[in-house]
């Protein structure tokens, strides 16, 4: 098979040309004509009629169909009143009970009360003279105090005198210049708290108070310390001359420390005349 060099050259696709405008218009017209020839139901007319007939039935005022009056009954009394339907014939198996509407038609209204003197209310008169009593009450009535008013301009502008601050109110009160009750109660509460605190501090001081050692107790304490020192000193003198083992060395060091502490305690007790001891 022979291979041509022209087949190796890439080919450029020709540009796509848009159809002319008149062709697009013709296409849309053809589609519109086809749309008119779609399927149409044979019951379309009846469906449209029923839809228009039963549309918005709740927007009517009164019944759907009203019997119109004739021209001869124009502007006559009760010419537009709806007449109730006539009563149907009662069959053998029908319900013989009367309906509520029939009861309203047959029932009579109660008669109006007569205008005779028997039915009128009898008026009872008393012997009290209310006019005279009202005069006496008006004479004994305490006159109402007039409102205090302050006129502050020449045009007659006025305002209440009491809240204006120009009248002495608080100076004339009985409680003026006295300590308020709540401050008295607060002072009592503070004094009570201070008293309780002082009592608590005194109690704590008594519990933690220092007491002095008497002379007899001091001499007894010194005698006991010196006796203890003599006992430990005899033990120290009884140690062997050759101290070559660890137990002997520890024993000697312990006795020296005990003797040193006892000497310090004896010196401390003898130095001060008065000694205080805490609980």
């Amino acid at each position: 098979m022979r291979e041509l060099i022209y087949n190796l050259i890439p080919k450029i696709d020709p540009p796509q040309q848009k159809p002319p405008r008149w062709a697009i218009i013709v296409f849309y017209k053809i589609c519109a004509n086809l749309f008119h020839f779609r399927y149409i139901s044979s019951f379309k007319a009846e469906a449209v009629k029923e839809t228009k007939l039963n549309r918005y039935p709740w927007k009517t005022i009164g019944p759907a169909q009203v019997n119109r009056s004739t021209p001869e009954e124009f502007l006559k009394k009760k010419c537009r009143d709806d007449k109730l339907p006539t009563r149907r014939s009662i069959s053998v198996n029908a319900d013989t009970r009367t309906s509520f509407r029939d009861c309203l038609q047959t029932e009579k209204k109660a008669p109006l009360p007569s205008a005779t003197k028997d039915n009128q209310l009898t008026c009872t008169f008393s012997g009290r003279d209310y006019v005279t009593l009202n005069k006496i009450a008006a004479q004994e009535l305490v006159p109402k105090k007039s409102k205090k008013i302050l006129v502050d301009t020449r045009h007659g502008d006025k305002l209440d005198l009491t809240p204006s601050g120009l009248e002495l109110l608080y100076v004339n009160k009985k409680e003026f210049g006295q300590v308020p009750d709540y401050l008295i109660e607060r002072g009592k509460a503070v004094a009570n708290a201070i008293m309780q605190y002082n009592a608590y501090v005194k109690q704590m001081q008594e519990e933690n108070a220092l007491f002095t050692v008497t002379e007899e107790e001091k001499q007894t304490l010194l005698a006991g310390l010196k006796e203890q020192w003599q006992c430990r000193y005899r033990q120290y003198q009884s140690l062997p001359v050759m101290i070559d083992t660890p137990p002997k060395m520890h024993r000697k060091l312990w006795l020296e420390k005990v003797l040193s502490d006892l000497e310090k305690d004896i010196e401390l007790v003898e130095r001060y005349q008065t000694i205080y001891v805490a609980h």
Side-chain angles (χ1 to χ4, degrees):
M1 183 177 179
R2 297 177 62 184
E3 184 177 358
L4 298 176
I5 193 172
Y6 297 104
N7 296 333
L8 300 176
I9 299 174
K11 296 181 181 180
I12 300 174
D13 296 335
Q16 296 182 359
Q17 295 182 357
K18 294 183 179 180
R21 186 174 180 82
W22 61 268
I24 297 174
I25 295 172
V26 170
F27 174 75
Y28 280 118
K29 286 184 178 180
I30 293 171
C31 292
N33 293 330
L34 292 175
F35 180 75
H36 284 295
F37 291 102
R38 70 183 187 278
Y39 171 75
I40 299 174
S41 176
S42 59
F43 301 100
K44 179 180 178 181
E46 295 181 3
V48 171
K49 184 178 179 180
E50 290 180 359
T51 304
K52 291 182 179 180
L53 183 63
N54 299 327
R55 183 176 293 177
Y56 310 124
W58 57 87
K59 288 192 175 182
T60 58
I61 301 176
Q65 294 180 0
V66 182
N67 298 328
R68 299 181 180 179
S69 58
T70 58
E72 290 79 7
E73 297 178 353
F74 181 68
L75 294 180
K76 287 185 178 180
K77 187 177 181 181
K78 298 182 180 180
C79 63
R80 296 296 302 273
D81 293 347
D82 297 333
K83 297 181 180 180
L84 296 174
T86 57
R87 191 171 182 180
R88 295 178 296 177
S89 60
I90 301 174
S91 60
V92 178
N93 298 326
D95 191 3
T96 57
R97 292 178 296 179
T98 57
S99 62
F100 179 72
R101 184 176 60 184
D102 296 338
C103 292
L104 293 178
Q105 292 178 358
T106 56
E107 186 179 0
K108 294 182 179 180
K109 295 183 179 180
L112 296 174
S114 60
T116 58
K117 295 182 180 180
D118 298 337
N119 295 330
Q120 292 181 358
L121 296 175
T122 57
C123 299
T124 57
F125 298 96
S126 62
R128 300 182 64 181
D129 190 359
Y130 290 98
V131 176
T132 306
L133 293 176
N134 291 339
K135 289 180 181 179
I136 296 172
Q139 292 174 2
E140 296 177 353
L141 187 65
V142 179
K144 185 179 179 181
K145 291 184 179 180
S146 59
K147 191 175 182 180
K148 296 181 180 180
I149 296 174
L150 171 65
V151 180
D152 57 348
T153 61
R154 61 187 180 87
H155 298 289
D157 298 333
K158 58 185 179 180
L159 67 155
D160 295 342
L161 180 62
T162 303
S164 64
L166 300 176
E167 187 179 6
L168 300 178
L169 296 177
Y170 297 98
V171 177
N172 298 328
K173 286 187 176 182
K174 296 180 180 180
E175 298 85 5
F176 180 76
Q178 298 180 2
V179 181
D181 296 337
Y182 73 94
L183 290 179
I184 296 173
E185 296 294 334
R186 186 179 297 177
K188 291 181 180 179
V190 172
N192 189 16
I194 293 173
M195 184 176 63
Q196 292 180 359
Y197 176 75
N198 293 334
Y200 172 74
V201 171
K202 185 177 180 181
Q203 181 181 359
M204 295 300 296
Q205 288 178 355
E206 290 178 356
E207 291 179 358
N208 301 327
L210 303 176
F211 65 93
T212 58
V213 179
T214 60
E215 189 66 24
E216 296 178 359
E217 293 176 351
K218 182 179 179 181
Q219 294 299 329
T220 305
L221 180 61
L222 281 172
L225 290 173
K226 289 179 180 180
E227 184 179 357
Q228 189 72 14
W229 185 86
Q230 291 291 340
C231 180
R232 296 300 179 186
Y233 185 72
R234 284 194 297 270
Q235 293 178 4
Y236 183 77
Q237 292 292 334
S238 301
L239 291 174
V241 179
M242 295 294 295
I243 301 175
D244 52 355
T245 58
K248 293 180 181 180
M249 295 176 63
H250 288 301
R251 176 71 175 174
K252 180 182 178 183
L253 293 174
W254 179 75
L255 288 173
E256 289 178 354
K257 184 177 182 304
V258 171
L259 289 172
S260 176
D261 293 340
L262 289 172
E263 289 175 359
K264 289 180 181 180
D265 294 339
I266 292 170
E267 184 182 0
L268 180 64
V269 173
E270 290 179 347
R271 185 186 306 172
Y272 301 101
Q273 295 181 359
T274 306
I275 299 175
Y276 295 96
V277 181
H279 287 284

